[in-house]
Amino acid sequence: MERILQLLNEMETKGLIQRYAIGGGMAVMFYAEPVVTEDLDIFVLLPPTNSPVIVLTPLYDFFRELGYQVRGLYVDVEGWLVRFLPTASELEVEALMEALEVNYGSTTMRVIRAEHLIAMKLKVGREKDLLHVHMLLRQAKIDHDYLQGVLQRHGLIEKWRKFLGGG
């Protein structure tokens, strides 16, 4: 995985992406017990363009030029399936900008804060996402005031109340 992180940092340096952070199930594992996940979700903020169309081709080309295989939406990097998720909402942009920098081996990387993961997973609302929310609430150190602010800013208070009420 360290190689992937090095390549992401290189993509940022080259301007292919403005910023990245690990999200999804892999990010949950930074705060809680391991979860089953088949891929590495990388949220990315792409450089601005004049086009309304999101184009990921330069990201895939970067990996192809290094000899990695592209398989549908994924890039296979040394056995890891990497998926790029362009930020699509204000919540995702905020999560990316406020991601925590941590070291993985000798490489610095960013991982989405637990509070933003909770909000993002609550917003999607699939069963596995809500299970991750439960795990994070039980096992991660959550700044509950910060979480409430995130939920409030992104219109998720009602979903939060329903989640807490079990309904």
Side-chain angles (χ1 to χ4, degrees):
M1 182 155 124
E2 190 165 7
R3 179 66 180 141
I4 297 167
L5 301 172
Q6 292 166 348
L7 292 170
L8 290 169
N9 289 332
E10 184 178 334
M11 291 172 78
E12 206 172 81
T13 300
K14 289 183 174 185
L16 293 170
I17 56 176
Q18 287 187 303
R19 191 169 173 89
Y20 78 88
I22 293 175
M26 190 63 71
V28 171
M29 286 192 277
F30 281 89
Y31 305 104
E33 293 176 12
V35 297
V36 175
T37 186
E38 298 174 357
D39 59 4
L40 179 59
D41 292 334
I42 307 295
F43 284 84
V44 294
L45 183 60
L46 298 171
T49 67
N50 293 330
S51 173
V53 178
I54 296 172
V55 179
L56 296 177
T57 307
L59 308 185
Y60 293 120
D61 288 346
F62 173 83
F63 283 95
R64 276 192 191 103
E65 289 170 12
L66 294 171
Y68 296 107
Q69 296 276 323
V70 175
R71 299 180 183 179
L73 297 175
Y74 300 92
V75 179
D76 185 337
V77 181
E78 300 178 12
W80 290 87
L81 293 178
V82 178
R83 179 172 62 159
F84 293 101
L85 301 166
T87 52
S89 69
E90 289 181 20
L91 171 59
E92 291 172 355
V93 171
E94 179 181 301
L96 206 60
M97 299 313 289
E98 297 185 20
L100 301 176
E101 287 197 1
V102 295
N103 291 324
Y104 186 91
S106 61
T107 305
T108 300
M109 60 175 243
R110 280 185 222 96
V111 63
I112 292 175
R113 288 180 62 135
E115 296 85 0
H116 281 111
L117 282 172
I118 288 170
M120 292 165 74
K121 289 183 169 293
L122 187 66
K123 184 176 179 179
V124 174
R126 298 174 301 186
E127 189 173 327
K128 74 177 185 175
D129 294 308
L130 298 179
L131 175 62
H132 290 168
V133 172
H134 281 290
M135 290 176 68
L136 288 165
L137 289 172
R138 282 194 322 267
Q139 299 172 26
K141 291 182 181 179
I142 303 296
D143 179 333
H144 289 278
D145 291 335
Y146 186 87
L147 174 60
Q148 286 300 310
V150 170
L151 296 171
Q152 185 70 44
R153 279 191 301 281
H154 300 287
L156 295 168
I157 293 296
E158 189 57 35
K159 275 193 169 189
W160 179 245
R161 287 183 183 132
K162 286 181 181 177
F163 172 80
L164 292 176

